[in-house]
Amino acid sequence: MFRSSLQRGFTIIELLIVIVVIGIIAGFVVFIVPNSRERSFYARGESELRTMGNAVKFYVDKYDEYPADVNRGLPAGIEEFVQAEDEWPDAPWPNSVYDYDYYDNDGETVQISIRFCPIGGPLSACNFPDQPWAADFEVNSSMYYCIKGNCKAHPDSPADTPGYCINCGHSEDD
């Protein structure tokens, strides 16, 4: 029989095509969104580490000394060189923190790190980035920006402790 012009709807083929297109779009979202979130964490972390590193350098230019070491935080005094509202935010990855290190283990060393674990661990409480450079991270591992000296993942750990330096080979000594 003939279809009336009043009977409208989708054929099964049209519905299947729409379902397949929605499935393809959903597949892209599932694979792209987590990667873009991780990329944004990395970009923010790298940018903020560089900004804080520059703020420390401005501090040294003004006061002729490095700020004192801080345990899991940023040194007092650099906020005048950073355009930030109220106080500096936590590090980008969930449960991560910034840590300013000023130590003298094999010469004066100054760095700013992102720590992914609570002090002392346990490893199960760590929240490492889902990136190849963090695949072998352990409790004292970090992503760090070297300002001066022989930087490493953690001041109290051996030099071969896994870490990720965003500017190694480009640190400046006074």
Side-chain angles (χ1 to χ4, degrees):
M1 293 251 142
F2 296 104
R3 278 176 86 179
S4 158
S5 62
L6 295 176
Q7 292 178 337
R8 297 187 181 175
F10 296 106
T11 66
I12 290 182
I13 299 295
E14 290 169 329
L15 288 173
L16 287 174
I17 290 172
V18 168
I19 291 170
V20 166
V21 168
I22 290 172
I24 290 171
I25 292 171
F28 281 124
V29 169
V30 166
F31 290 108
I32 291 174
V33 169
N35 289 337
S36 64
R37 184 172 183 229
E38 190 66 36
R39 282 192 308 267
S40 71
F41 286 160
Y42 177 83
R44 181 180 147 207
E46 181 180 35
S47 174
E48 289 177 353
L49 286 171
R50 288 183 190 282
T51 298
M52 288 182 277
N54 287 331
V56 169
K57 291 173 187 176
F58 288 131
Y59 180 97
V60 171
D61 286 344
K62 183 174 182 177
Y63 297 108
D64 278 339
E65 65 181 1
Y66 285 97
D69 186 48
V70 177
N71 191 14
R72 298 291 171 122
L74 298 175
I78 70 164
E79 55 276 336
E80 73 178 284
F81 305 105
V82 179
Q83 293 181 350
E85 300 175 20
D86 298 334
E87 72 180 53
W88 198 265
D90 289 335
W93 285 272
N95 303 318
S96 62
V97 296
Y98 288 108
D99 186 17
Y100 170 77
D101 295 312
Y102 176 74
Y103 58 95
D104 193 358
N105 286 357
D106 289 320
E108 189 175 53
T109 300
V110 183
Q111 68 186 48
I112 297 180
S113 306
I114 297 176
R115 306 267 177 229
F116 303 99
C117 303
I119 294 174
L123 190 60
S124 61
C126 301
N127 190 17
F128 298 123
D130 186 18
Q131 293 294 314
W133 52 264
D136 59 347
F137 271 21
E138 45 192 66
V139 171
N140 286 333
S141 294
S142 67
M143 175 181 179
Y144 58 96
Y145 179 86
C146 187
I147 299 168
K148 178 181 181 180
N150 298 316
C151 301
K152 55 185 181 176
H154 192 278
D156 298 331
S157 295
D160 63 351
T161 298
Y164 183 71
C165 179
I166 66 169
N167 69 325
C168 284
H170 305 289
S171 64
E172 296 177 16
D173 290 335
D174 290 335

